[in-house]
């Protein structure tokens, strides 16, 4: 029996915009654990993301071992210190005050990779642009981000890490490309505006600065 496609009314569209507006990169988490079945549900939802050739190249590694988490935190601290040295003056002072990761507080650590050796999809669409495998994984992260927010769970994407160090620590296959390290948990606070806007580091860019016509 065929199913009728859903119809999304104006109320749903308004809620969807609210979901997008209130999605934040969270760095401050409560210690409350995320129920395992809910985490499984969120990951299953993430797997509904579009992927080139339907290759579904995302690979999620739930990092639970305390020693591995501690090693990731040390790598972050080293990379963050190096990043700070690249700034000078007022920008350096602002950077030094920012909380850029919730690695120590987040109940869930999730490393995400793109499997470049996957046979799924038969290379459709990715032979000419192999990077579309990674774009597909980023799409899955975005779906996870929104699904988590809909459950009042915050997600923070930590990019201040050494990709090869993370791969080595987690002992993943060589042909997996590191995409992102995510922190998930219930947020301490919620804001509609991004933290970097509130701290005066980077405002939103106007629409007319990013849309072009040819």
């Amino acid at each position: 029996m065929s199913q009728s496609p859903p119809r999304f009314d104006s109320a749903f569209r308004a809620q969807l915009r609210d979901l997008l507006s209130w999605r934040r990169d969270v760095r401050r988490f409560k210690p409350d654990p995320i129920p395992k079945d809910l985490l499984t549900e969120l990951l299953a939802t993430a797997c509904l993301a579009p992927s080139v050739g339907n290759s579904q190249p995302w690979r999620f590694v739930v990092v639970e071992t305390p020693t591995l988490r501690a090693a990731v935190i040390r790598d972050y601290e080293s990379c963050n210190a190096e990043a700070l040295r690249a700034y000078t003056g007022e920008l350096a002072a602002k950077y030094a005050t920012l909380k850029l990761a919730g690695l120590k507080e987040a109940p869930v650590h999730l490393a995400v990779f793109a499997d470049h050796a996957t046979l799924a999809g038969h290379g459709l669409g990715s032979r000419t642009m192999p990077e579309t495998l990674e774009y597909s994984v980023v799409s899955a992260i975005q779906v996870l981000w929104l699904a988590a927010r809909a459950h009042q769970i915050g997600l923070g994407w930590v990019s201040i890490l050494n990709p090869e160090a993370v791969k080595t620590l987690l002992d993943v296959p060589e042909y997996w490309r590191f995409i992102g390290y995510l922190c998930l948990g219930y947020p301490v606070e919620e804001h509609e505006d991004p933290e970097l806007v509130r701290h005066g580091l980077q405002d939103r860019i106007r629409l007319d600065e990013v849309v072009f016509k040819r």
Side-chain angles (χ1 to χ4, degrees):
M1 182 181 296
S2 62
Q3 290 183 318
S4 299
R7 298 292 181 229
F8 303 111
D9 60 15
S10 58
F12 176 87
R13 291 192 291 272
Q15 283 191 309
L16 177 60
R17 183 173 180 83
D18 286 342
L19 177 62
L20 293 165
S21 296
W22 281 86
R23 180 214 54 80
R24 294 274 67 80
D25 192 340
V26 176
R27 292 92 183 264
R28 296 171 177 82
F29 297 96
K30 298 177 182 177
D32 311 54
I34 296 176
K36 289 186 177 181
D37 58 344
L38 178 52
L39 179 59
T40 299
E41 178 186 338
L42 293 175
L43 292 173
T45 301
C47 292
L48 296 175
S51 62
V52 61
N54 200 26
S55 57
Q56 304 150 78
W58 38 76
R59 304 291 181 262
F60 300 101
V61 178
V62 183
V63 184
E64 299 177 327
T65 308
T67 54
L68 289 178
R69 287 190 179 207
V72 170
I73 291 171
R74 287 194 298 272
D75 185 72
Y76 161 77
E77 291 172 342
S78 174
C79 291
N80 194 43
E82 183 178 350
L84 175 58
R85 289 192 290 271
Y87 296 103
T88 59
E90 183 181 352
L91 191 56
K94 281 186 178 180
Y95 186 96
T97 65
L98 294 173
K99 181 173 175 57
L100 298 175
L103 290 163
K104 293 181 179 179
E105 304 88 353
V108 174
H109 284 206
L110 194 66
V112 189
F113 299 85
D115 182 354
H116 274 266
T118 181
L119 298 178
H122 311 288
L124 194 157
S126 60
R127 295 187 188 278
T128 48
M129 293 183 64
E131 61 271 27
T132 52
L133 291 168
E134 295 164 22
Y135 301 161
S136 300
V137 178
V138 173
S139 294
I141 292 175
Q142 183 66 13
V143 171
L144 175 63
W145 216 328
L146 294 174
R149 183 65 186 86
H151 283 273
Q152 309 304 319
I153 292 172
L155 184 152
W157 186 332
V158 184
S159 59
I160 308 173
L161 289 168
N162 181 323
E164 290 305 314
V166 174
K167 283 185 62 174
T168 300
L169 281 170
L170 300 183
D171 191 25
V172 299
E174 179 60 32
Y175 44 83
W176 286 15
R177 175 76 182 273
F178 176 65
I179 303 299
Y181 198 92
L182 312 179
C183 296
L184 288 93
Y186 295 97
V188 170
E189 54 189 23
E190 299 183 56
H191 297 275
E192 187 175 12
D193 58 331
E195 185 159 341
L196 296 184
V197 172
R198 290 199 306 279
H199 286 272
L201 192 80
Q202 176 61 57
D203 206 347
R204 288 198 178 279
I205 299 175
R206 300 194 316 270
L207 183 64
D208 61 8
E209 295 182 82
V210 298
V211 177
F212 304 90
K213 296 182 179 180
R214 293 290 187 268

